Amino acid sequence: MSDVLNLPRPAWMTEDLVLLEDQARRFLAAEFAPHLEKWHEDHFYPRDVWTKSGSAGLLCASMPEEYGGAGGTFAHEAVIDREFSLIGFDTFGAPLHSGIVAPYILHYGTEEQKRRWLPKLATGELVSAIAMSEPGTGSDLQGVRTTAKRSGNGYVLNGSKTFITNGQHANLIIVVAKTNPKEGSKGVSLMVVETGDAPGFRRGRKLKKLGMDSADTSELFFEDVALPAEALLGVDEGQGFYQLMKELPQERLIVSVHAVAMIERALALTIDYVKQRAAFGKKIIDFQNTQFVLAECKSEATIAKVFLDHCIERHVKGELDTTTASMAKYWLSDLLGKIADRCLQLFGGYGYMDEYPISRIYRDARVLRIYAGTNEIMKLLIARSL
Ligand SMILES: Cc1cc2nc3c(=O)[nH]c(=O)nc-3n(C[C@H](O)[C@H](O)[C@H](O)COP(=O)(O)OP(=O)(O)OC[C@H]3O[C@@H](n4cnc5c(N)ncnc54)[C@H](O)[C@@H]3O)c2cc1C
């Protein structure tokens, strides 16, 4: 995939990150790209994708070396995540695993919890998920009905979750539950469930979706699941909401990284196509409409990438605030939708065919405006800064 925006390398992109980019690109082209079509047809990608990614150093790159990671920063995650998107593997749950679940454990886990789980997340032996959303509540997380009630030395977990990314593969699931159902946000705790040893845990359907066909987004059920005391992430109950709020800006930035990479890919595919396809004795690129549409898309994509780089740079320095992260998630995912639509139009009928990647980008793009906090919730957060 050519670098369609031709921007200078951003300041946060150090030499070791350039090497990582190259290494990830080669690995993905050789190991995963040849199978993407089959996984798409199967609506599933195999479990060993996780362990292969772990062996290639593509999981938990920002985790400290002492816990099995590569000792990098968020910039390492951003580089790897962009590469997943550039080859068209947007359905892979690794960005959530490495950039969302692992940081919860690193930042809030006890030393024992970090040693127990992080090294296995880095190898892919453990595949993780975060289960916040429930059939009755998504945006309003204070309203979760899943409970983790004290029982003897541990807890008993009851409830159901839905729309959970990695739901079929996951064997370590952070579950948002109420340890004190009488309280609102202060009653929320994060419970870590190792599914290999959790009678009463059940996976529901792998959900049929508008896009992201090979992603194993699923329902999960917990019925009187007995958990040890150490399943509580950290040591104090009632910290879950605070922990979620602290980590969500990074989740929003990860979605932003994907949005921009998907825009880059959509543009590159479209520019290629309109240079080959002809109508009325001309290439499609020779129509002024095509040039104007793509000129607009490229301009907007360039603005998007510059803003994203600004956000990544600030986040690596620990300076990215919730407002700006929310702006990035809302604006970049909205822009992806607009650009994917305009690009698809330039493919004519072929753009509507599943075998043309632009149609998948169009479908896959839609969810970026919904998950990791809907774009309406992003605007609420931004509005608080007015
Ligand atoms: C493919 C996919 C993968 C997902 N992966 C995960 C996952 O791994 N883990 C997980 O926990 N969840 C996951 N989700 C769930 C996702 O985060 C939620 O769908 C999302 O947060 C919205 O919640 P909801 O669906 O309950 O919508 P609702 O909260 O019911 O919202 C419905 C509509 O009302 C709007 N709305 C709600 N509140 C307000 C308000 N205060 N002001 C204005 N408008 C408002 C929303 O923006 C939306 O348009 C995933 C979803 C999908 C589709």
Side-chain angles (χ1 to χ4, degrees), residues 99-364:
I100 298 169
V101 177
Y104 276 112
I105 295 170
L106 180 71
H107 296 150
Y108 306 112
T110 61
E111 190 55 32
E112 198 191 326
Q113 288 174 328
K114 291 185 230 186
R115 296 209 176 277
R116 180 178 172 97
W117 294 319
L118 288 175
K120 291 183 183 168
L121 291 176
T123 58
E125 184 182 334
L126 284 177
V127 172
S128 65
I130 176 142
M132 299 179 270
S133 306
E134 301 185 354
T137 193
S139 303
D140 180 12
L141 283 179
Q142 296 188 34
V144 294
R145 299 183 62 177
T146 299
T147 55
K149 291 196 177 142
R150 278 235 166 242
S151 168
N153 286 336
Y155 296 90
V156 174
L157 186 66
N158 275 291
S160 55
K161 298 286 180 180
T162 193
F163 306 145
I164 306 307
T165 300
N166 300 338
Q168 297 296 312
H169 286 309
N171 44 4
L172 179 135
I173 304 173
I174 298 187
V175 180
V176 177
K178 286 263 174 83
T179 35
N180 185 350
K182 292 195 193 113
E183 297 265 13
S185 60
K186 288 187 186 136
V188 173
S189 300
L190 303 184
M191 310 302 298
V192 184
V193 178
E194 291 181 78
T195 65
D197 184 23
F201 164 70
R202 187 165 61 81
R203 295 175 210 273
R205 289 176 300 149
K206 174 184 165 317
L207 299 163
K208 288 187 184 165
K209 308 184 289 304
L210 172 69
M212 300 282 185
D213 292 347
S214 68
D216 53 326
T217 316
S218 305
E219 300 170 315
L220 303 175
F221 300 99
F222 305 89
E223 206 179 318
D224 291 329
V225 178
L227 298 175
E230 311 79 64
L232 174 74
L233 187 65
V235 283
D236 297 319
E237 291 177 8
Q239 297 297 305
F241 206 73
Y242 159 81
Q243 292 163 344
L244 289 166
M245 293 306 117
K246 281 282 279 186
E247 296 300 313
L248 285 175
Q250 176 151 317
E251 181 172 358
R252 282 152 196 169
L253 197 51
I254 290 171
V255 173
S256 308
V257 168
H258 284 281
V260 172
M262 289 169 82
I263 288 172
E264 288 182 72
R265 182 159 180 264
L267 259 180
L269 290 166
T270 309
I271 292 168
D272 253 18
Y273 184 80
V274 296
K275 284 183 176 169
Q276 286 164 31
R277 176 86 176 167
F280 298 97
K282 293 181 181 183
K283 297 289 184 202
I284 304 289
I285 183 83
D286 294 327
F287 295 113
Q288 194 183 48
N289 176 66
T290 308
Q291 294 172 14
F292 279 15
V293 168
L294 289 175
E296 286 168 10
C297 290
K298 185 168 177 177
S299 307
E300 290 164 27
T302 302
I303 296 164
K305 180 90 167 44
V306 171
F307 179 46
L308 175 68
D309 284 332
H310 162 82
C311 291
I312 294 174
E313 193 169 334
R314 277 175 63 183
H315 190 49
V316 170
K317 288 185 193 157
E319 292 170 3
L320 185 69
D321 58 295
T322 300
T323 307
T324 314
S326 306
M327 287 177 185
K329 193 275 174 180
Y330 138 62
W331 196 78
L332 297 169
S333 61
D334 247 29
L335 181 67
L336 167 63
K338 291 175 195 154
I339 290 185
D341 187 61
R342 283 181 277 171
C343 285
L344 185 150
Q345 185 71 13
L346 293 175
F347 280 75
Y350 292 99
Y352 200 66
M353 297 298 120
D354 182 62
E355 66 212 71
Y356 278 73
I358 193 67
S359 81
R360 290 181 205 167
I361 294 176
Y362 177 84
R363 291 196 289 126
D364 293 350

Side-chain angles (χ1 to χ4, degrees), residues 96 130 132-133 138-139 163-165 367 370-371 374 376-377 380:
L96 176 138
I130 176 142
M132 299 179 270
S133 306
S139 303
F163 306 145
I164 306 307
T165 300
V367 78
I370 298 170
Y371 61 22
T374 65
E376 291 72 34
I377 298 297
L380 278 181

